[in-house]
Amino acid sequence: MKTLGAQMRKIWQVCVFTLLMGSVAHAGPVTAYTALEEDEIADYVAAAKKALPDVDLKVLRLSTGDLGARILAEASNPQHDVIWGWAVTNMMDPRVLALLQPYKAKGADKLAAPYRAADDKWFAATGYMAAFCVNNERIKAKGLTMPKDWADLLDPKFKGEVVMPNPVSSGTGYLQIVGILQQMGEEKGWKFLKDLDANVAQYIKSGSRPCKAARAGEFAVGTSLAFAAIQSIQEGFPVTMVIPASGAGFELEASALMASSKNKADAQKFLDWTLAPDAAGIYGKYKEIVTIPGIKPSAASVKAGLPADVTKILLPIDFAKSAVQRTAILERWQKEIGR
Amino acid sequence: MSLLRTGLRSAADLDRVFIAVCLIVPLAALGLFFVYPLATVALRSVTEPGGSIGLGNFAVILRSTSFWRATAHSLTMSGSTTAVVLVLGLVVAFALRRCRILAGTLVMGAVALPLLMPSLVQGLGLIFLLGRNGLLTKASGIEINIYGFWGLLIANGLYALPQAVLIISAALRSADARIYEAAEILGTSPWRQFRDITLPNIKFGLLSAGFVVFTVTITDFGNAATIGGDYSILATEIYNQVVGQMNFNLGAVVGIMLLFPTVLAFYLERVASQRQFGSHSDSAVPIVPVWTPRRDVPMTVAAWLIALLPIVTVGVVVFASFVWLWPYRFDLTLRHYAVKVAGGYDPLWTTIYISIWAGLVGTALTFALGVALQRMPRHAVKPIYFVCMLPAAVPGLVLGLSYIFAFNAPGTPIYFLYGSAVLIAFCNVFHYWTQGFLTTMTGLRLVPASLQETAACLGAGLPRVMRDVVAPHMAPTIVSVFFFLFMQSMVTLSAVIFLITASVSVASVSIMRLDEAGFTSQAAAYATCTMGVVVAASIVMRVLLALMTGRRKSAG
């Protein structure tokens, strides 16, 4: 038995040794955790690899919520070097901020104040915003008029034709109700949400799903994301993108350096690159919101109905406030509206 | 004389060592890959926001109205699904094992179809058919609201039915034809034969199937997310806490709470199965059903009617993957098969590798454990049995996260597994452990004890008895356990999503990513490819198996 034990120990030692050797030999990779969209990531990674040939970039893509669970679960021993393009409301969670290391990325100083952390823990080059996906055929079939703003959805004719993301499970759902609450003020905002509730057929678990339900003709209106609407129109679905006339709620996609990174030099190179001109050039192709000054939206987005200067239609969202109030707002939502 | 005695003693020793290995290896694996990770979750559930240990999280959850609503919903949903699926499962299993129905193998294949695709895609298929803009809805003009209870009942039913059929038919597989002959001679009606002979004999199988159906539907999240609408259940409560609000500790509380109905179900099942009468007689004569039109025609119709829904649901997804723009432009195209997801079809091959390993390891471990448990005293079996029931009650989301807590621990010898495909394979084995274990146990109960005793008396050691007596008897069960684990590993998503890395990913994640990115038809195409691979792999493996057993038979 003793010899067996000794042997087992030896095997372990060999395993651990090779493992360590392995990790020393490959000190190169920079692992990025991201919630950016699938097709844009492919484009960015190709460009980044060209610009930074010596950086071995590895990317794991998960949805915003799944990524948050992953990052926090791994917090005791993070497996990634950077967070790339993740909802800033989630990034502002104190448990996440504690994992980050302040880093002034090259070009971050050109970003306006709301788009970077005062302590340099994160910066956001891009963002996404709320928009309605309206199914033209269902609107026609049901004799409805094309909505222009949130208030239009209160019309009793829309009863059972509106689908929203559930704010408790979806960041998009939360940004939509925060937009309404911060724009109308607490009291009016809650009353509005309750009135709207009468017409809502269901609160779906994810942010892009309401758009998919609307484009498939299941419901007339899905309150979703501009990205999902533009993409659906490009695919050929009979969908109109409606950006709420009184202003759209939005979310920033923030990037940050992990304090635990074992390859900070390369990680910083990559973060610098996300603000570099050649990255910024591609953002215009995919993003409704680019915070780097001077980037125009893509032709497809403009065709889908995105204004040339998006900043004019964005609501003045206070992200710090929205992060702090999150628990209280969601509790109230579950109590008064949640099903 | 003394030589003979030492020979005997060493044979007995060898048997003891064999049983010890059969017991210790699966238990060690169960401890490392299930109990230990689950303990990390239990720890989280009692870790309060300040970091102290206490029951504060439980108080928070127990006070919230949404938790109680979700509990009521979950119990209603799982209870109704269990009732429906047990009846349908019994019909299908009975038709397959005790009747001569038309194309029985195809019925089994059809019923198993939902196991071949992620619940996400199955939900998609149901919406394509029965949604407000679905094919059947438009054709019939009747708009039913499938989002909510009914949709969830159908989706969960589709998913649970093959698992119920698997267990019930393992129970129906052997029975003593002579009892039925005797009943026949005594003039017992077929209905009484069914009620008084068949049902009591398969009670254990029915209870196990009921238990599995109840627990897998109470823990499933995928269906609830796609088709459940506003019908909140406990699994969605966990998702809301963990993924929506990054509050793992509260999610862990709900995860622990989910174990309670299972404990209760387990207890009820045990109590009931203790009253089961006469298990397997020694020299049972296998039943070979004779063509009886009065029984077999209606059973064929019934079985095929039940098989129709999975066929149509899967069929519509496959069809949609070839359609230009569902549901607006029905021109046929292959464009969705050029997938734009990271890694393309590579994850599919990784998944096959993982699934074969999960199937092999899982089958070997459950079989070994089953063999050992049969030779142990009842009081020692009970706790082990109980632990083996728990995996079914743990939602994939909780299991996946628990693996991060357990294995992402540098400085421990198990850390090297973290981020590897091997860990994903083990995760799958223990995610579906209960179903595999119950099927194996149901099958093992039916191996005649006297046959084993005879072999032992003739001087065969346990390993030999296993190889030459038990394994051949169990072959169909072993094969179905392997395929169950293989197929589930090919499509499972909820746990593995937390274990994939930048370089190791699986097919179901690609499908989910495509769907999230808005490429619904590409997701359908990817799911179709996965299904194709599973079907092809199943055929190849079955052919190999047939060749192998054929050769052994001709050699023997």
Side-chain angles (χ1 to χ4, degrees):
Chain A
M1 267 334 262
K2 215 170 212 174
T3 50
L4 187 71
Q7 237 166 359
M8 284 299 284
R9 248 196 313 278
K10 201 165 222 174
I11 292 171
W12 278 127
Q13 279 164 0
V14 171
C15 281
V16 172
F17 182 69
T18 31
L19 201 79
L20 288 176
M21 285 307 286
S23 57
V24 171
H26 300 280
V30 168
T31 304
Y33 278 10
T34 182
L36 293 168
E37 293 302 333
E38 204 64 54
D39 44 350
E40 55 176 325
I41 294 173
D43 240 9
Y44 302 148
V45 169
K49 285 197 167 150
K50 212 182 271 170
L52 308 167
D54 52 332
V55 176
D56 180 9
L57 179 64
K58 293 204 173 349
V59 179
L60 174 66
R61 196 267 162 190
L62 290 173
S63 70
T64 306
D66 286 337
L67 197 61
R70 177 84 177 241
I71 290 172
L72 287 177
E74 283 184 343
S76 65
N77 178 38
Q79 301 286 315
H80 54 124
D81 303 284
V82 298
I83 300 177
W84 175 32
W86 190 44
V88 76
T89 318
N90 293 49
M91 189 85 94
M92 280 177 170
D93 186 293
R95 291 168 298 170
V96 177
L97 288 177
L99 301 173
L100 306 177
Q101 178 174 318
Y103 172 61
K104 218 177 189 65
K106 231 176 268 168
D109 50 351
K110 288 202 203 89
L111 302 178
Y115 307 135
R116 56 193 159 92
D119 58 0
D120 291 319
K121 277 202 169 168
W122 56 266
F123 61 87
T126 55
Y128 49 87
M129 63 186 203
F132 304 158
C133 289
V134 187
N135 188 307
N136 303 335
E137 296 191 358
R138 190 136 190 131
I139 285 276
K140 219 183 294 160
K142 297 270 158 183
L144 300 164
T145 43
M146 183 66 69
K148 295 207 163 48
D149 203 347
W150 283 103
D152 297 339
L153 300 180
L154 294 182
D155 185 338
K157 280 192 191 151
F158 276 101
K159 191 166 177 58
E161 289 296 336
V162 180
V163 272
M164 281 181 82
N166 186 329
V168 185
S169 58
S170 149
T172 307
Y174 184 64
L175 83 84
Q176 290 181 0
I177 68 167
V178 162
I180 289 168
L181 291 174
Q182 291 198 358
Q183 179 193 15
M184 299 184 182
E186 286 278 307
E187 203 179 318
K188 270 178 137 182
W190 279 110
K191 187 183 175 308
F192 181 85
L193 288 175
K194 270 183 241 170
D195 292 345
L196 184 61
D197 180 53
N199 283 351
V200 175
Q202 56 171 295
Y203 295 96
I204 304 187
K205 298 282 173 301
S206 91
S208 57
R209 222 171 261 286
C211 190
K212 269 171 250 163
R215 77 183 190 184
E218 294 285 301
F219 302 94
V221 182
T223 70
S224 183
L225 296 165
F227 147 77
I230 294 168
Q231 198 252 5
S232 299
I233 294 167
Q234 267 176 306
E235 289 267 297
F237 287 98
V239 163
T240 300
M241 173 169 78
V242 174
I243 295 163
S246 57
F250 71 105
E251 177 69 274
L252 293 171
E253 292 168 309
S255 302
L257 176 67
M258 294 294 292
S260 57
S261 169
K262 289 184 190 71
N263 188 10
K264 284 194 182 126
D266 283 349
Q268 290 171 345
K269 268 191 225 164
F270 172 69
L271 287 174
D272 290 346
W273 178 83
T274 63
L275 291 171
D278 64 330
I282 320 175
Y283 292 152
K285 194 169 144 197
Y286 295 101
K287 291 296 177 193
E288 309 100 71
I289 303 172
V290 182
T291 62
I292 303 169
I295 304 295
K296 296 263 171 305
S298 73
S301 313
V302 173
K303 203 172 145 208
L306 199 74
D309 185 2
V310 181
T311 51
K312 292 220 171 83
I313 52 169
L314 297 181
L315 292 170
I317 300 285
D318 181 342
F319 286 104
K321 191 174 156 194
S322 110
V324 169
Q325 292 182 334
R326 190 181 176 108
T327 314
I329 289 179
L330 291 180
E331 248 168 41
R332 183 161 177 192
W333 188 87
Q334 272 178 301
K335 201 171 283 169
E336 297 181 10
I337 296 168
R339 300 175 180 173
Chain B
M1 209 44 200
S2 70
L3 197 76
L4 186 66
R5 202 170 294 149
T6 42
L8 275 178
R9 200 188 308 144
S10 69
D13 283 348
L14 192 70
D15 282 1
R16 220 166 290 145
V17 171
F18 179 76
I19 290 192
V21 170
C22 281
L23 185 68
I24 290 167
V25 173
L27 283 189
L30 196 62
L32 180 60
F33 294 104
F34 179 70
V35 178
Y36 167 54
L38 198 67
T40 65
V41 173
L43 183 67
R44 293 267 162 167
S45 73
V46 292
T47 306
E48 290 179 1
S52 57
I53 301 290
L55 292 176
N57 296 327
F58 283 85
V60 170
I61 290 291
L62 291 178
R63 266 202 306 270
S64 80
T65 47
S66 60
F67 170 77
W68 291 109
R69 185 170 47 211
T71 306
H73 283 174
S74 273
L75 293 176
T76 317
M77 164 58 50
S78 300
S80 352
T81 311
T82 308
V84 173
V85 166
L86 274 189
V87 172
L88 298 184
L90 182 59
V91 170
V92 174
F94 191 83
L96 289 175
R97 296 282 157 233
R98 296 291 173 84
C99 306
R100 292 190 66 160
I101 63 162
L102 198 66
T105 332
L106 284 183
V107 170
M108 187 58 222
V111 168
L113 277 177
L115 290 182
L116 303 187
M117 48 190 210
S119 46
L120 173 89
V121 182
Q122 188 191 297
L124 213 62
L126 285 176
I127 293 173
F128 285 167
L129 280 178
L130 299 167
R132 310 215 305 180
N133 203 18
L135 288 186
L136 288 181
T137 314
K138 275 197 284 192
S140 66
I142 310 163
E143 210 174 80
I144 54 161
N145 185 14
I146 56 156
Y147 299 100
F149 180 83
W150 292 107
L152 207 47
L153 182 70
I154 299 173
N156 282 336
L158 279 176
Y159 175 68
L161 183 63
Q163 311 188 45
V165 172
L166 184 75
I167 297 171
I168 299 174
S169 50
L172 280 169
R173 196 165 277 136
S174 42
D176 200 343
R178 294 170 310 174
I179 298 177
Y180 290 91
E181 276 161 22
E184 201 68 48
I185 293 164
L186 291 172
T188 317
S189 71
W191 167 245
R192 271 206 68 186
Q193 288 182 28
F194 177 76
R195 205 188 62 193
D196 294 346
I197 305 172
T198 310
L199 272 188
N201 257 315
I202 59 165
K203 205 159 90 184
F204 177 76
L206 277 180
L207 286 167
S208 303
F211 170 78
V212 164
V213 173
F214 187 86
T215 41
V216 298
T217 47
I218 212 166
T219 56
D220 181 81
F221 169 73
N223 287 328
T226 39
I227 208 162
D230 290 322
Y231 197 80
S232 70
I233 54 168
L234 285 172
T236 49
E237 280 297 297
I238 299 182
Y239 182 86
N240 287 350
Q241 291 296 347
V242 174
V243 174
Q245 300 180 49
M246 300 203 294
N247 200 337
F248 189 77
N249 297 358
L250 288 184
V253 171
V254 186
I256 297 291
M257 298 294 227
L258 260 180
L259 297 177
F260 284 115
T262 311
V263 173
L264 192 70
F266 172 77
Y267 175 74
L268 289 180
E269 190 211 310
R270 296 266 73 195
V271 168
S273 65
Q274 269 165 9
R275 281 197 236 117
Q276 182 171 10
F277 82 95
S279 69
H280 255 273
S281 72
D282 315 1
S283 44
V285 176
I287 292 182
V288 182
V290 199
W291 168 246
T292 319
R294 207 158 54 91
R295 174 194 68 196
D296 293 348
V297 171
M299 285 308 274
T300 303
V301 173
W304 275 103
L305 273 181
I306 295 169
L308 203 61
L309 189 60
I311 294 178
V312 178
T313 313
V314 173
V316 78
V317 172
V318 174
F319 176 54
S321 76
F322 291 109
V323 159
W324 191 271
L325 187 71
W326 187 275
Y328 301 102
R329 242 185 95 183
F330 285 89
D331 314 352
L332 296 183
T333 172
L334 281 174
R335 72 177 185 140
H336 304 302
Y337 282 81
V339 294
K340 294 184 212 163
V341 73
Y345 285 109
D346 287 349
L348 192 50
W349 308 120
T350 316
T351 319
I352 294 175
Y353 170 80
I354 289 173
S355 306
I356 289 180
W357 274 112
L360 290 176
V361 171
T363 314
L365 289 180
T366 47
F367 184 62
L369 186 60
V371 165
L373 289 186
Q374 275 201 322
R375 282 157 186 79
M376 282 173 58
R378 205 181 162 85
H379 64 90
V381 170
K382 255 186 174 174
I384 298 175
Y385 203 96
F386 177 67
V387 173
C388 287
M389 293 301 105
L390 285 180
V394 178
L397 177 100
V398 174
L399 189 67
L401 280 163
S402 78
Y403 267 51
I404 300 183
F405 299 137
F407 293 97
N408 183 22
T412 58
I414 47 173
Y415 179 52
F416 79 99
L417 283 172
Y418 192 66
S420 69
V422 178
L423 190 64
I424 298 182
F426 272 108
C427 179
N428 289 338
V429 168
F430 289 98
H431 192 175
Y432 299 105
W433 177 263
T434 306
Q435 290 95 317
F437 175 77
L438 279 178
T439 312
T440 310
M441 287 309 279
T442 313
L444 273 174
R445 256 160 216 261
L446 304 175
V447 179
S450 61
L451 207 60
Q452 298 179 49
E453 279 156 22
T454 314
C457 284
L458 290 173
L462 248 191
R464 179 101 192 266
V465 175
M466 285 302 122
R467 201 192 66 196
D468 292 347
V469 179
V470 179
H473 224 94
M474 282 283 290
T477 307
I478 294 176
V479 170
S480 16
V481 170
F482 171 82
F483 278 109
F484 174 75
L485 288 171
F486 172 77
M487 291 196 280
Q488 288 291 276
S489 302
M490 285 299 294
V491 298
T492 183
L493 179 66
S494 53
V496 297
I497 182 141
F498 294 103
L499 298 177
I500 56 155
T501 68
S503 23
V504 179
S505 187
V506 296
S508 55
V509 172
S510 299
I511 295 171
M512 181 202 70
R513 283 178 172 176
L514 285 169
D515 181 60
E516 273 179 359
F519 307 116
T520 314
S521 302
Q522 283 190 28
Y526 209 112
T528 305
C529 286
T530 314
M531 232 179 311
V533 166
V534 179
V535 171
S538 310
I539 292 172
V540 168
M541 282 186 273
R542 277 193 197 273
V543 168
L544 284 178
L545 207 71
L547 285 178
M548 267 158 52
T549 49
R551 196 177 304 151
R552 197 183 304 150
K553 260 181 207 148
S554 61

